[in-house]
Every structure is written in C-alpha cells, then in structure tokens.
Amino acid sequence: MTGTLADRVIFITGARSGIGRATADAARRAGAHVVGADIDGLETMADLDLALALDVSDPDAMTAAVEQILKTFGRIDGLVTCAGLSLTGSATDMALDDWHKALAVNLTGTMLAARAVLPAMVAAGNGAIVTLASIYGMTGSPGNTPYNVTKGGVLQLTRSLAADYGAAGIRVNTISPGFIETPMTTMLQGESPMRSAFINMHLLKRAGRAEEVAKTAIFLLSDDASFITGANIPVDGGFSAAQVILV
Ligand code: NAP
C-alpha cells in the first residue's frame, strides 16, 4: 500500500461515528490497516480491517481488544482515542453519575487505551498516540463541568505520556477541536441563537468538519510529525486564539 501510513496498524476508538469514523476513513486512504472500536454499531465499521465492540472504560475489555489486534496484525503502530461523551452540569446540579461516567470514558478510557498499546510500541521502539481533548480542556465553559474537567485531564495525560515514553521512541500528542459537526453536536444543528453565537466565537465563522480533524490526526500519526510530541494542536477555527466580543 502507498500513503503516509502505508501498512501501519492504527487502532481508533469511537470509530463508528463523527471524528473517529472520519479518521478511520482517512487512515485507510493513507494506506493503514485500520482497527475500529466502539461501544456499539459493529455493522457500521464492517468495512474496516477489524471492528471491535469495546467499552473503553472497561480495563479487561481493553486488554482483550489489544491482544486481539496483536494476534491479528502482530503490531500496533498508532492509536487515536476518539471515544468520548459530552456530559453537562455545574458542580451543584450535575448528576454524580455523569461526573463518574465522564471521568471513566473520557479520561480513564483514554489512559487505558494508551496503557494497553504502549508495551507493544515500546518493544517495537516506535509508535504514535493521538488523543482527543477539546477547546474546553483549555478554557472553562459554564454548565459543562464533567466535560471540561475530563478534557483538561486528557491534555495532562497526553503530556505525561509524552514525558514518560519519549525516550522509547513513542510520540504522544493531542488535538483540541472546536465546534465540529458530528452526532455529538446534534443539539447545535439547525439555526438557533446558540449555534450562531458559538460559531461567532470561532474566528473562521463556521463549524468544522470531522474530516478536518481527521487530517490532523493522520499528520500526527505519520512520520511527517516525527519531531512533534507532547503537543496540543487546536483544530478550532481560531476559537482559542482570541476572545471574540459577542454583541
Ligand atoms: P461522536 O460522534 O459522539 O463519537 C464518539 C463515539 O464514542 C460514539 O460512537 C460513542 O458512542 C462512542 N463512545 C461513547 N462511550 C464509549 C465507550 N465507553 N466506549 C467506546 N466508545 C464509546 O463524537 P465526536 O464529535 O466524533 O467526538 C470524538 C471526540 O472528539 C470525543 O472525545 C469528543 O469529546 C471530542 N471533541 C468533539 C468535538 C465536537 O465538536 N464534535 C469538539 C471537541 C472535542 P455513543 O454514540 O453510543 O455514545
């Protein structure tokens, strides 16, 4: 196969939907063998090289999934952690279950995926991990405590992984998307004052596409990013670059 990821084995969580699905498609176009995992929807990943039903917050299931990938392909070259949930609320009005669930899926799930693939990557002496944080990992947003906190945690997890495994040849970077049109953001579909205000906070004055995030993930997985690790790349139409005054 040709392409920037020719013959690499890339494991993508949250691969049935949105950014994960777009990343799976882009990785295949780049020549990779793509393993997709998601909590549900195996049939929507049937075109991938391997599709797995996986709850990323389940440590035993994560271990079994990575064992299956290694048994099938013999190695794992890249990981992209797209599985995630958007759970809302402030400290006093959020459901405690939502807090625990956001931590379990968004933060612990990302850590478990990295922890499961790292031994094989370290043994091979190379590998690339791309995590998905958010603009809300860098700034706060009202009524969004579980999500904000877990995405801030993903940023620090990414830096910690980069610090611990750089000497072994493993690169670990994060992407912080702005408003991307995916099933996660259906509440912002259709014209509404909230959608207009949110879009206006992005300097490019539009929402992003999952494919635009996927292209950045492919770059970070590839040798084109060979001296980049511990980085946070905003793919946010300029959201994090300026504070737009809404009038
Ligand atoms: P999406 O379309 O909802 O895709 C996320 C996928 O992860 C869904 O298929 C979801 O399944 C799955 N998932 C949820 N819990 C899981 C679990 N325990 N184990 C395995 N899979 C699980 O969302 P997206 O917009 O592509 O988001 C991808 C990543 O980018 C997320 O981490 C998100 O926080 C981040 N992000 C997105 C945006 C945006 O504007 N879209 C902005 C910033 C960051 P269900 O549908 O059943 O929940």
Side-chain angles (χ1 to χ4, degrees):
M1 282 198 234
T2 57
T4 53
L5 298 181
D7 289 326
R8 309 262 170 105
V9 177
I10 306 296
F11 176 30
I12 302 169
T13 68
R16 81 164 149 148
S17 177
I19 293 167
R21 180 67 235 194
T23 303
D25 291 340
R28 293 196 85 196
R29 286 194 298 274
H33 305 284
V34 178
V35 181
D38 208 297
I39 189 98
D40 206 355
L42 271 185
E43 67 286 354
T44 63
M45 300 184 289
D47 57 318
L48 302 181
D49 296 291
L50 181 63
L52 302 170
L54 169 69
D55 177 349
V56 295
S57 67
D58 179 338
D60 293 337
M62 182 63 78
T63 302
V66 168
E67 278 171 3
Q68 190 175 344
I69 298 168
L70 290 171
K71 200 170 153 204
T72 307
F73 298 100
R75 60 180 209 276
I76 299 180
D77 303 295
L79 166 71
V80 187
T81 59
C82 297
L85 293 168
S86 175
L87 294 166
T88 58
S90 63
T92 49
D93 68 18
M94 69 182 174
L96 203 50
D97 279 353
D98 284 352
W99 169 260
H100 288 308
K101 184 147 199 201
L103 282 169
V105 175
N106 294 356
L107 186 52
T108 305
T110 302
M111 183 278 294
L112 289 174
R115 180 176 150 107
V117 301
L118 274 162
M121 289 183 174
V122 169
N126 62 64
I129 297 174
V130 179
T131 62
L132 267 294
S134 167
I135 47 175
Y136 292 139
M138 299 184 280
T139 66
S141 67
N144 221 9
T145 293
Y147 192 75
N148 297 342
V149 169
T150 56
K151 292 303 183 174
V154 169
L155 271 176
Q156 279 301 71
L157 171 66
T158 303
R159 295 178 183 123
S160 300
L161 291 168
D164 285 336
Y165 298 96
I170 318 301
R171 296 184 301 100
V172 192
N173 295 290
T174 198
I175 296 172
S176 288
F179 172 20
I180 310 295
E181 306 261 24
T182 71
M184 185 178 276
T185 54
T186 43
M187 74 297 251
L188 290 166
Q189 273 172 11
E191 290 312 309
S192 70
M194 181 184 277
R195 178 186 170 89
S196 302
F198 195 27
I199 283 182
N200 197 38
M201 294 167 80
H202 294 67
L203 301 184
L204 294 178
K205 306 301 178 190
R206 67 171 175 86
R209 296 183 295 275
E211 295 71 23
E212 295 176 299
V213 182
K215 282 180 188 170
T216 308
I218 300 305
F219 165 70
L220 290 170
L221 288 170
S222 78
D223 292 344
D224 291 343
S226 55
F227 203 50
I228 302 177
T229 197
N232 173 32
I233 313 285
V235 180
D236 67 355
F239 181 101
S240 59
Q243 290 189 332
V244 176
I245 296 171
L246 299 170
V247 287

